[in-house]
Amino acid sequence: MKKQLLLLTLFLMALAIPTRAASTHLYRGNSTYSSDILYTWDGKYVYSGNSTYSSDILATWDGKYLYRGRSNYSSDIIFSWDGKYLYRGRSGYSSDILYTWDGKYLYHGRSTYSSDIAVTISNNCVYLGRSNYSSDILYRFSGMIPVPVLIFMLN
């Protein structure tokens, strides 16, 4: 009985240990070569290039705010995110909307007009404007990246 309880406890403790997701990379153009990695994303931090060293952290994501560097201070907030709108800093005002996201298209400001489409995000690629032609691929990414983090990487 003691062995079973010990095994159950060890199993539950193993489940409780947080694991880091595999790193996701943003590549220049339609490439997947390691020499074309611009940024690395590990689920919390954005790193420069193909690095995961703490000295190479450019931004921190907490699910609502994107912070400058390895910070979580309100004075270091770059973007705020509500799932549809990306705001400048810690704002929630419509005048501070930088981009609107509809699940495929990223629009400039608070717009959903086709003329305001900045990029199309589809099939792990970022396309110029309203396109899905391979010749219009600006960037390719290897996994899931939240929209605000991706926008940070694109700027």
Side-chain angles (χ1 to χ4, degrees):
M1 180 70 171
K2 287 184 181 182
K3 277 188 180 181
Q4 290 174 337
L5 185 60
L6 177 64
L7 287 174
L8 179 63
T9 304
L10 290 174
F11 176 74
L12 292 174
M13 287 175 58
L15 287 177
I17 297 173
T19 57
R20 228 2 135 188
S23 293
T24 298
H25 302 291
L26 182 76
Y27 299 89
R28 179 185 353 268
N30 195 11
S31 175
T32 55
Y33 292 115
S34 61
S35 61
D36 288 325
I37 294 173
L38 299 172
Y39 299 98
T40 299
W41 163 249
D42 72 359
K44 182 172 183 174
Y45 299 112
V46 177
Y47 301 87
S48 178
N50 192 17
S51 173
T52 55
Y53 292 114
S54 61
S55 60
D56 291 327
I57 293 174
L58 301 174
T60 303
W61 174 245
D62 72 1
K64 180 168 175 58
Y65 300 112
L66 186 73
Y67 300 87
R68 191 173 335 293
R70 192 178 180 164
S71 174
N72 61 357
Y73 294 113
S74 61
S75 60
D76 290 327
I77 294 174
I78 301 168
F79 300 136
S80 301
W81 176 245
D82 70 4
K84 181 174 182 174
Y85 298 113
L86 185 74
Y87 299 89
R88 179 185 350 267
R90 193 177 176 171
S91 178
Y93 295 113
S94 61
S95 61
D96 288 327
I97 294 174
L98 299 171
Y99 295 100
T100 301
W101 171 245
D102 74 358
K104 183 173 182 177
Y105 301 113
L106 187 66
Y107 301 85
H108 291 287
R110 186 179 184 176
S111 174
T112 55
Y113 292 118
S114 61
S115 61
D116 289 330
I117 294 174
V119 295
T120 301
I121 301 172
S122 177
N123 302 319
N124 284 16
C125 293
V126 178
Y127 300 87
L128 178 62
R130 185 182 180 141
S131 175
N132 61 357
Y133 294 114
S134 61
S135 61
D136 288 330
I137 294 174
L138 300 172
Y139 305 96
R140 177 177 289 280
F141 48 98
S142 60
M144 300 299 292
I145 302 175
V147 171
V149 173
L150 186 58
I151 292 169
F152 172 81
M153 292 174 171
L154 301 179
N155 286 320

